[in-house]
Structure formats: structure tokens, C-alpha cells
Amino acid sequence: MRITTDPVELWSDPQSQARREKDYFDTHFGPFFRTEQLIITAPLSKGEIYHPYPSGSDVPFGPPLTFDVLSQVLELQNAIEDLAAEYQNETVMLKDICLAPLSPYNNNCTILSVLNYFQNSYSVLNHSISDEFFVMADYHTHFLYCVQSPASLNDTSVLHDPCLGTFGGPIFPWLVLGGYDGENYNNATALVITFPVNNFHNDTDKINKAKAWEKEFIKFVQSYNNTNLSIAFSTERSIEDEINRESNSDVTTVLISYALMFLYISLTLGRIAPCESILVDTKISLGIAGILIVLASVACSLGIFSYAGVPLTLIVIEVIPFLVLAVGVDNIYIIVQTLQRDERLYREKLDQQIGRVLGDVAPSIFLSSFSETVAFFLGALSSMPAVRTFSLFAGMAIFFDFLLQITLFVSLLGMDIKRQEKNRLDILCCIPGCKRNRVSEKPKGCIFMFFKKIFAPVVMKDSIRPIVVAIFVGMLSFSIAVVNKVDIGLDQSLSMPDDSYVLKYFHSLNKYMHSGPPVYFVVEEGHDYKSKEGQSMVCGGAGCNNNSLVQQIYNAAQMDNYTKIGYSPSSWLDDYFDWVKPQSTCCRVYNNTERFCNASVVDPLCVRCRSLTPEGKRRPLEEEFMKYLPMFLSDNPNPKCGKGGHAAYSSAVNLLSNDTDVGATYFMTYHTILHNSEDFIDALRKARMIAKNITESMDAPGKNYSVFAYSVFYVFYEQYLTIVDDTLFNLCLSLAAIFFVSVILLGFEIWSAVLMCIAISMILINMFGVMWLWNISLNAVSLVNLVMCCGISVEFCSHITRAFSVSTKGSRVQRAQDSLAHIGSSVFSGITLTKFLGIGVMGLSKSQIFKVFYFRMYLSMVLLGAAHGLIFLPVLLSYIGPRVNKAKVQAALQRQRGTEQERLIDH
């Protein structure tokens, strides 16, 4: 048995577009880094006003940008850098796992922090130039310069300090500051510190090292105590950790829920009897056996698919026992209660009586179980892994439950009746019970009497039936009206426990952040960067196409509210052109060896790569383009040349055939801040639209590649682009399966099957109405529940429909009343009451996702199912149900004559 907890495997189809694109990105550029992030505010700081020297208007600085707060944050940042974790007797520190783009020349970790404007140094932060009267320049001056020119190596003030981070890359202000207005970064109310950590493709040992350090990081930040700083934080492992913690706490809730249902079944399966025979007439042991059969069918399903190599998910473990219990218990109640109400005929043996009763009720049980099994197996055609896995396991579990019930349970029922007839105690079956008077008439159950004498006659009154139809049609109309207003997506905060530290992080993310996740526009292998035409299709400078890749992304960033693209892209091609042009001091080679000579090297042998002639100032083409590109990608930024591409682009360009051609490349920018599922889905949709436009505009002869957009969240949100179609497909498929199975098993009574499917469809549509009222969004979890609702609705509707179709009473109203009295009571005590007990406990869960998607949806499912199956469907059948079958009437009359003769002989 293998349990899948990896969110990508759970929610993303391996054949989906986003998954293929993720695999392409991971293969060519390495997996997206792991993110450890702090969002820090200074609740006790009031901020300050900076007075520039010698003149200029005053500049307000936000609360976290005072010297004292920045010093304390630097102390925290250094402490995190020095954190040490243990993994397999090995010490793991941040420097062992962090993203260090200039390694091995420069092993400094990438730390995206405002303090990296000061190279993470107290001395640079404290650096100021002053005389005895004025401070001419200090950290305020440096900060104001760096937020405008983050890649600068000299702030041009009297300080002459660099802005470039210690890791060799720029620190963009929108990544490290939060809560400011417009581009007034000095007004920031929050600092954001991000530690990118290397992720590894299929290297469990290295990933586990990173996880060990992250665990230590979480422990450290949770115990960090500084009243001046309010810290919200998250790590790459945080969400999975918290979901696992939540699942463990939910185990208790689920177990209590099942225990209550088990207790109810064990105690109510028998009938209330006189005190002296109560221990004989109870059916606790039979109830326990019935529950064990349900659990055995779940175990069979898990075993078969685990043997076949299908991995389990937490949804399967938490939902399927609940579903099979609903279906299984209902069938158990129908079998036992029908047998309890039956009178044994003259000279009829027990096994013959059980056979006769099963002849009446087993077709109904087979109808419901087979319909559900087929519906669930067809649900496995879904493209969503979570829905597909659930459908497979559920279909197999219900199939085995039916097999075990009509074989093992029936045998156990026969043995239990023999025990009861021999007056032996329940459970302690070797001990005889008290002597009791022979009761000539079997006592009827309270629920059965209530349904027969009160409920069924009231519902079937001529004055009540039109009101019932009006109410249910009204409910249906309301649900149809709001069905398109149901939200799509899954709010991340719902998946966290109420007391999770990640909730504070989500809140801070929405409140303070100004940039969303990075997005990469990937040009697949095959584009010709060496030709002038190929370069013009991509670059964004002078001489490039108006609809080039960089230009289109730039245009999209100008309409950020619509496109959700926040900034112009970083373009390796344009930076390469700037680096290689002879006017810069960047591209130099040794004139004797043609090897690269860094701009910081002072050597007379170093000469410009290209001459200052008109020819040399043009863009490099063909062999010349490829000659200098590897040099650019290996050049570290330095005070004389800040354009070196090693830090920024070493992973952005794939070089092929021994550095003679360019393969896949990417151009990175950022999404705008994305607050909710709707924003994430829209960002994905718009990015794909932009990528499609770029692909169409790069119309080179014989083109066999495309441009696609990739961001780390796309694999999770792609499902929502098609969730409406998937929902329609799954539910329509299930309904079609139920219809065809019902037609065949009801003896080709098409109209009965149509009415039953109408009732089930109404339950499903009303579920959408409840989802809108109760703020339940449509996603993979709720889709699993809707597929399950389809299955449970069969239980509520199929038994009543079949009882009506085989009834031989005179009018439709009498037949509906008869079927409601006899089968309705079993359905009510079997599913409705059992489920109420179990669902009630779920409302006490700490887990928000449990309360929303399980407690609310299950409660709605049972209430709507019971209302439609026990009120609306009988009324509908009383109006337009199928006419009585003459052959069935004749067969029933013959049976009745035979029974009366046998009774006379018996007397």
C-alpha cells in the first residue's frame, strides 16, 4: 500500500498541459527552488522623517525602515544563516543547501532582503558621512538610491556603496518591501526576507537535507522572541506539514464519528422487546458483523488496487468508509427489517423463508449497488487524479460490499435467527435466556409504524401533494439560478488547521505583498537565435520586432490589472547585446589565447572582443554570437561591469552541441499579487493567452517549437480551467450509467428509471444551491463529494422506485403510500439516522477543510437525499408513476391465494 501526499501527484494529471510543461522546465532548467520566507512588521515603531542634505523635501520612512528595526532584523537574518540542523549524523546549514548562483567563485547565499542593499553588513548599514553639523549621507541616502537602481555597483553619493546583493544579483524593491503605495518604497510597512533553497530533481537525500534544515528553521522562528518584531513565516514544507498534522488530528474525529454510527447500528438493528427478552431480541452481534463486512469490503478494495500499484490518497481513506457504510448499512436494514416483518409460511423452513424474502428485496439491493458500481467505475475516466482514484476504490468497495452482504451477511442472519428461536442471548450465545410467553404477533418497529400510520398518509393527502411539488420545484429553480455563481477553486487557508502559523503568513501575504510568484516564458528548443530575424523575434531593444517576445510581455505588464503580469521581463538576449557591444568594458579576451578576460582584470593582453567600427557595433550573428555567449553566461558582475550574466542567466539558457547552438531558454518576470483562487486561475489563463500570441507571432519557416508560460502554481490551478466541464462530464456519465442499469434491472420500465434519474438530478442541482449558500467552492474535493452524492442518492431513490414498480395496489397514490411505508422506514433508519450521528461529530473538527467540505456537504447530501427520496419522489410517482404491470398483479394474486391456503391448513 502506497499513500500519495505529494500535492502535484494528487491534483495534477500526468498528461495535462501544465504537468508536461513543468516536466519540460524541470528537465531543462532544474526544478523551481524551495522558498523559505519571512514577512516582518514593526508594531512598536512609529517610522521617521528623513531630511536630505543639503536640500530637498522631507522623506517619510515606514516603521520597519528605522535604523533600530533594521539592525534587529539583520541580527535575526544572521541567526537564521547560522542555523544548524542534523541529518544522518551530518550538520546541515543554509550555505549547504541555498541557491548560490556564482558558486564556486562566490559561495554567498541568495538572500532577497532589503539588508542586502547593505551587503548584509552592520558596518555598511551604519556607514555615514558627516561633519560636526550635518549628516551628508547615511543608510537613508543609500536606500533611496538602491530602490531606483538595484543593480548599481556605486550609489553615486559620497558613500559610494554598491547596491548589488552579496550573491551577485540585484534586489528588486517589490520583492523585499511590502505595504507601500505606488512606487514610494520608503513608505513600506513590512519587510520581506526570502531564502531560496535548491530543489533537486529525484534526489531524495538532498531534498531530505533541505527538509531537515527547514524543520530547524520553523522551530527557531516559532520560539524567536522580540517584541519589536511581528513575524509571519512559511517554508516549502509548511503546507504539507500542517496538512499532515491536520489529518492526524482528524483521525480522532473520524474514529468517534464511525464509533457512534457503529453503536447506533448495533443497538437499533434489533427490535424493542419486553424486558425479559431484550438480550435475546437485540442484534448487536449481527450489527457488528454487518459493520465488519463494510470494513472488509473497503479492505478488499484497498488490497486489490494496492496490489495493482494504484497509490492511495487521504481522500480515499477518509471518504470511502463513510460512503460504503451509507450504502452497506442501508442494505442491511432493508434485509433485516423486511425479514422481521415477514410471517413464515406453513411448513416453510428458515432457509426457504430467507430465500423468499431475498427474492423480494435483493433485486432492489442489486439495482442500487450495481448502479453505483458502474457509475463510480465510469467516474474513473476523469482526468483529475484525486477523482479518478476515489472512483476506482469506491466502485470496487461497493461491489465487494454487495457480494459479502448477499452471501456472508445472509448466512450470519440465518444463524442469528436460529439463536433467537432457541432463546439464547445475543453475543453470549451459549447462555440461554429467560423463559418467555410465546408472542403470536411480531411487534412492529416504531419507525415503521410512524411511516405507515402517520408519515405516508399525511404526505399522500390530496391537499399536501401540490404543496410538496411547489416547494421542491421552488428549491430547484433557486438552485438553477445560482449554479453559475458557485465559486471555483480552493482557498489555501481552508486547508490549514485553525491554529496554524501558516494562516498568519497567508494573511500577511495578502495584506503586504506587491508581487506575486515568478513566471517564466519558456522558448522551447528549436528557435534560431544566431540569425538577425530570429533575434528580432525575441529581443526588446532597438531594431527588434514590435511584436517580439520581450515587447509583448512588456506591453502585458503595462496592463497589469488585466494580464496579471506585474513587470517587464529580464531578457538575457538584450543584456547579452549590451554586454558584448564594444562601447562597454565587459566583453574582453586575451589577444594571444582568445580566452575570456573579466572586466576587473588589469592586463595589457586583454582587448575588446569586438572593434569600435560600425560592423563591430552591430548585433553578433552566427558563429560570433555563439563565440561570446558562453563567456557572457560565465561572467560574474563586478564594479567595472554589472552586466555579467552568470548570476542572472546561467540557468536561463541551455547550450547545445558543445556550446555551438542555443537550446531552450526562458525570460522571467513576476505576476502581480494574487489574492484568491480567482486571481490565480485568471493569471494562468492570461499567461497562456500571452504565450499563445507570442508563439503565433514567431512564425519562422519550418517552426516545430512553441512558447509556454510556467509558474510553480500552474499545476495546481490548471484543473480549475476545466473543472466545470469535468463536473458536467462526471455527473452526466454517472447519471447515464444509473439510468441504463435501472432500465435493465427494473425489467425495462423506462419511465421508472427516468423518474428516478430526475429525482437524483434534482438532488445534485440542489447541492449546487447549498454550495452557493454555504460558501463551498467547486474543486476536486467537492467534485469527489458530488460524485459520491450521486451514489448515495441512488440509495435514497432506487428502493422506493422499485417498491412502487412492483406494488400491486390499486391506484398510484396507494402504491406510493405502500412503498413509502415499507421501504421508506428502512431507508430512513438505515441511511438518514446513521449518517446524522456520524456527520454531527465532523462539525467539531479543528480542520477547516473538514468542516466545509465534509460536515457541510455530507449534511446537505443526507438532508437533500432524504427529502427527495422520502417526500418528493413518492409524490412524483403518485402523479406520473408508471401504470401497474398486469403480469405482476396476476403473479401477486396467485402468491396471495397460495399463502391463504397454507395459513388455513396451519390453523
Side-chain angles (χ1 to χ4, degrees):
M1 194 164 79
R2 201 158 45 85
I3 296 178
T4 302
T5 53
D6 179 4
V8 175
E9 295 293 334
L10 268 177
W11 307 116
S12 175
D13 180 22
Q15 303 307 315
S16 69
Q17 181 184 340
R19 191 71 175 277
R20 291 197 311 272
E21 289 169 355
K22 179 187 183 300
D23 291 343
Y24 189 93
F25 186 91
D26 290 354
T27 307
H28 289 80
F29 310 111
F32 191 79
F33 48 77
R34 302 174 72 85
T35 307
E36 335 298 345
Q37 194 167 64
L38 305 165
I39 301 174
I40 302 170
T41 52
L44 304 181
S45 172
K46 297 282 187 277
E48 60 190 22
I49 303 294
Y50 167 59
H51 310 286
Y53 175 85
S55 62
S57 53
D58 290 348
V59 182
F61 269 63
L65 292 174
T66 64
F67 183 81
D68 285 345
V69 173
L70 287 173
S71 301
Q72 290 171 49
V73 172
L74 181 56
E75 186 184 324
L76 167 65
Q77 188 178 298
N78 289 339
I80 290 170
E81 275 196 87
D82 295 335
L83 275 179
E86 289 293 319
Y87 175 71
Q88 294 184 349
N89 300 322
E90 196 179 326
T91 302
V92 182
M93 295 182 73
L94 180 62
K95 64 184 180 186
D96 302 319
I97 56 171
C98 71
L99 185 69
L102 297 186
S103 175
Y105 314 104
N106 172 351
N107 290 319
N108 285 321
C109 291
T110 300
I111 301 176
L112 301 175
S113 161
V114 73
L115 292 154
N116 228 333
Y117 287 144
F118 310 95
Q119 288 70 56
N120 301 325
S121 162
Y122 282 109
S123 57
V124 179
L125 180 63
N126 205 15
H127 187 198
S128 65
I129 304 290
S130 62
D131 59 22
E132 52 192 283
F133 300 108
F134 298 105
V135 175
M136 292 156 209
D138 64 359
Y139 84 93
H140 296 99
T141 324
H142 186 65
F143 171 86
L144 291 171
Y145 181 84
C146 289
V147 293
Q148 299 304 322
S149 304
S152 172
L153 293 159
N154 181 342
D155 66 10
T156 70
S157 72
V158 289
L159 295 172
H160 297 296
D161 288 330
C163 295
L164 210 62
T166 54
F167 60 92
I171 308 292
F172 296 113
W174 58 82
L175 297 179
V176 296
L177 297 165
Y180 53 84
D181 53 282
E183 290 189 0
N184 301 315
Y185 302 114
N186 47 287
N187 286 337
T189 54
L191 303 180
V192 183
I193 302 177
T194 309
F195 301 91
V197 167
N198 281 317
N199 214 343
F200 301 96
H201 204 47
N202 301 327
D203 192 331
T204 313
D205 197 52
K206 286 180 179 175
I207 288 173
N208 286 342
K209 276 186 184 178
K211 285 184 174 179
W213 187 85
E214 286 167 355
K215 192 175 182 180
E216 201 62 38
F217 171 83
I218 293 168
K219 207 184 297 178
F220 170 78
V221 180
Q222 281 181 322
S223 60
Y224 189 77
N225 190 16
N226 183 338
T227 51
N228 295 324
L229 304 179
S230 173
I231 305 171
F233 73 99
S234 175
T235 69
E236 190 71 22
R237 67 176 288 163
S238 291
I239 290 177
E240 199 171 330
D241 279 358
E242 290 297 278
I243 288 172
N244 289 340
R245 179 169 76 87
E246 183 177 61
S247 297
N248 292 336
S249 71
D250 288 339
V251 167
T252 314
T253 309
V254 172
L255 289 177
I256 294 170
S257 173
Y258 288 148
L260 280 173
M261 289 191 281
F262 292 174
L263 189 67
Y264 167 79
I265 294 159
S266 302
L267 295 177
T268 59
L269 202 55
R271 62 163 73 92
I272 296 167
C275 290
E276 72 270 6
S277 65
I278 193 163
L279 293 176
V280 175
D281 289 343
T282 56
K283 296 204 177 296
I284 294 172
S285 51
L286 190 66
I288 291 168
I291 292 158
L292 289 175
I293 282 171
V294 167
L295 297 178
S297 63
V298 174
C300 288
S301 175
L302 298 185
I304 286 170
F305 285 113
S306 295
Y307 182 72
V310 179
L312 273 169
T313 64
L314 287 171
I315 285 185
V316 167
I317 295 166
E318 289 172 346
V319 176
I320 285 184
F322 205 83
L323 168 69
V324 182
L325 202 64
V327 174
V329 169
D330 187 37
N331 294 344
I332 286 168
Y333 269 84
I334 288 170
I335 293 170
V336 172
Q337 290 181 350
T338 309
L339 189 63
Q340 283 172 346
R341 293 174 202 143
D342 186 70
E343 293 285 344
R344 195 176 301 173
L345 302 178
Y346 176 64
R347 289 181 181 169
E348 188 177 44
K349 292 178 183 175
L350 175 62
D351 56 335
Q352 291 170 328
Q353 184 192 9
I354 293 174
R356 180 170 50 78
V357 169
L358 273 181
D360 286 340
V361 297
S364 181
I365 293 168
F366 180 58
L367 165 63
S368 63
S369 301
F370 193 62
S371 300
E372 287 156 16
T373 302
V374 173
F376 281 127
F377 277 140
L378 286 175
L381 296 172
S382 170
S383 60
M384 286 173 142
V387 178
R388 185 165 59 237
T389 307
F390 166 79
S391 298
L392 282 173
F393 280 89
M396 187 63 78
I398 287 171
F399 174 70
F400 269 102
D401 187 51
F402 171 73
L403 284 183
L404 291 171
Q405 277 174 344
I406 60 165
T407 53
L408 179 58
F409 183 76
V410 169
S411 306
L412 292 170
L413 176 62
M415 290 166 69
D416 189 68
I417 292 169
K418 283 180 181 174
R419 170 201 61 77
Q420 194 176 350
E421 288 175 348
K422 288 178 181 175
N423 199 31
R424 294 186 178 277
L425 297 185
D426 193 14
I427 302 175
L428 306 168
C429 53
C430 298
I431 301 171
C434 305
K435 287 186 178 179
R436 53 180 176 168
N437 298 324
R438 188 174 180 82
V439 181
S440 59
E441 193 176 329
K442 291 187 177 184
K444 305 290 183 187
C446 298
I447 294 174
F448 173 70
M449 294 309 293
F450 168 75
F451 266 76
K452 186 170 184 180
K453 300 290 184 188
I454 300 170
F455 184 74
V458 168
V459 170
M460 289 300 142
K461 275 188 178 177
D462 288 344
S463 57
I464 299 292
R465 287 188 298 149
I467 297 170
V468 168
V469 172
I471 290 169
F472 280 86
V473 168
M475 283 166 57
L476 179 67
S477 305
F478 168 78
S479 299
I480 291 170
V482 300
V483 75
N484 64 332
K485 293 183 173 67
V486 173
D487 289 335
I488 290 173
L490 175 61
D491 182 358
Q492 277 187 310
S493 60
L494 278 181
S495 60
M496 297 292 103
D498 290 338
D499 57 352
S500 173
Y501 65 88
V502 182
L503 288 176
K504 183 181 178 184
Y505 171 75
F506 285 149
H507 174 73
S508 299
L509 205 62
N510 281 332
K511 186 175 179 183
Y512 298 113
M513 291 293 276
H514 278 255
S515 80
V519 54
Y520 301 86
F521 285 88
V522 178
V523 183
E524 291 177 346
E525 189 178 312
H527 184 71
D528 181 13
Y529 294 92
K530 294 182 288 186
S531 69
K532 187 177 180 182
E533 294 76 19
Q535 292 170 2
S536 298
M537 289 177 191
V538 174
C539 64
C544 301
N545 294 353
N546 289 334
N547 62 347
S548 70
L549 180 147
V550 172
Q551 189 62 44
Q552 285 199 52
I553 302 170
Y554 171 80
N555 292 343
Q558 303 309 301
M559 303 181 287
D560 55 351
N561 283 341
Y562 174 72
T563 61
K564 300 288 190 284
I565 300 292
Y567 306 94
S568 300
S570 52
S571 166
W572 64 267
L573 190 58
D574 290 297
D575 281 354
Y576 172 50
F577 291 155
D578 287 345
W579 179 88
V580 81
K581 65 186 178 185
Q583 296 95 314
S584 81
T585 56
C586 293
C587 186
R588 302 193 307 161
V589 291
Y590 289 100
N591 61 5
N592 56 345
T593 62
E594 290 287 307
R595 283 179 56 239
F596 177 61
C597 173
N598 188 279
S600 59
V601 174
V602 179
D603 190 325
L605 293 175
C606 290
V607 294
R608 285 190 178 91
C609 298
R610 309 178 77 208
S611 61
L612 279 162
T613 61
E615 185 63 36
K617 290 177 184 177
R618 288 178 188 155
R619 297 195 307 230
L621 302 172
E622 302 302 336
E623 286 80 12
E624 193 182 25
F625 179 87
M626 288 311 304
K627 180 180 178 182
Y628 301 121
L629 182 59
M631 298 179 188
F632 165 70
L633 296 174
S634 63
D635 186 20
N636 295 336
N638 57 70
K640 290 191 175 177
C641 173
K643 286 281 185 182
H646 188 184
Y649 303 120
S650 58
S651 64
V653 182
N654 279 173
L655 296 178
L656 307 175
S657 312
N658 203 18
D659 294 351
T660 58
D661 205 355
V662 178
T665 71
Y666 69 66
F667 297 79
M668 188 184 87
T669 180
Y670 289 87
H671 280 298
T672 53
I673 186 66
L674 308 172
H675 295 286
N676 50 40
S677 293
E678 193 180 339
D679 286 348
F680 280 100
I681 297 161
D682 196 36
L684 165 59
R685 189 182 287 115
K686 296 293 166 47
R688 284 195 172 166
M689 183 181 76
I690 294 163
K692 183 170 177 278
N693 289 344
I694 293 168
T695 303
E696 287 170 0
S697 66
M698 293 171 71
D699 192 19
K703 185 180 77 169
N704 59 352
Y705 62 91
S706 63
V707 177
F708 67 84
Y710 169 75
S711 190
V712 69
F713 68 87
Y714 288 0
V715 283
F716 304 114
Y717 284 89
E718 184 189 40
Q719 57 178 304
Y720 302 124
L721 297 178
T722 57
I723 188 88
V724 173
D725 295 340
D726 287 342
T727 304
L728 281 170
F729 173 76
N730 276 286
L731 297 183
C732 290
L733 204 61
S734 298
L735 277 170
I738 291 162
F739 174 75
F740 285 115
V741 171
S742 302
V743 166
I744 294 164
L745 296 184
L746 286 172
F748 291 90
E749 285 195 3
I750 294 172
W751 189 236
S752 293
V754 167
L755 295 178
M756 186 176 102
C757 287
I758 287 171
I760 294 169
S761 303
M762 286 175 71
I763 294 171
L764 291 171
I765 293 167
N766 282 322
M767 279 298 292
F768 284 100
V770 171
M771 285 169 71
W772 180 76
L773 284 171
W774 229 339
N775 293 323
I776 303 170
S777 52
L778 179 61
N779 51 51
V781 181
S782 48
L783 178 51
V784 165
N785 284 342
L786 287 168
V787 172
M788 175 174 148
C789 177
C790 205
I792 286 184
S793 301
V794 173
E795 286 296 317
F796 281 113
C797 300
S798 65
H799 300 302
I800 298 282
T801 307
R802 186 180 179 278
F804 180 88
S805 75
V806 300
S807 174
T808 54
K809 299 280 181 186
S811 67
R812 286 192 179 102
V813 174
Q814 288 172 321
R815 288 161 67 205
Q817 189 170 324
D818 180 53
S819 59
L820 184 56
H822 284 84
I823 292 294
S825 58
S826 296
V827 170
F828 182 73
S829 52
I831 302 186
T832 316
L833 293 182
T834 311
K835 285 284 155 273
F836 270 144
L837 278 171
I839 292 164
V841 179
M842 288 186 172
L844 305 174
S845 172
K846 274 187 182 178
S847 157
Q848 295 183 81
I849 203 165
F850 227 69
K851 280 190 276 197
V852 172
F853 291 102
Y854 295 137
F855 172 67
R856 291 180 187 177
M857 285 196 81
Y858 283 10
L859 187 63
S860 311
M861 226 179 273
V862 173
L863 286 174
L864 288 171
H868 283 77
L870 301 178
I871 301 173
F872 176 72
L873 183 59
V875 169
L876 185 68
L877 290 167
S878 73
Y879 278 121
I880 55 171
R883 287 197 296 270
V884 70
N885 188 312
K886 289 177 183 175
K888 285 175 184 172
V889 173
Q890 291 291 29
L893 286 171
Q894 283 178 351
R895 261 204 317 274
Q896 201 174 354
R897 280 196 211 103
T899 306
E900 283 170 1
Q901 284 170 1
E902 285 167 336
R903 277 197 185 128
L904 285 168
I905 294 166
D906 193 22
H907 287 301

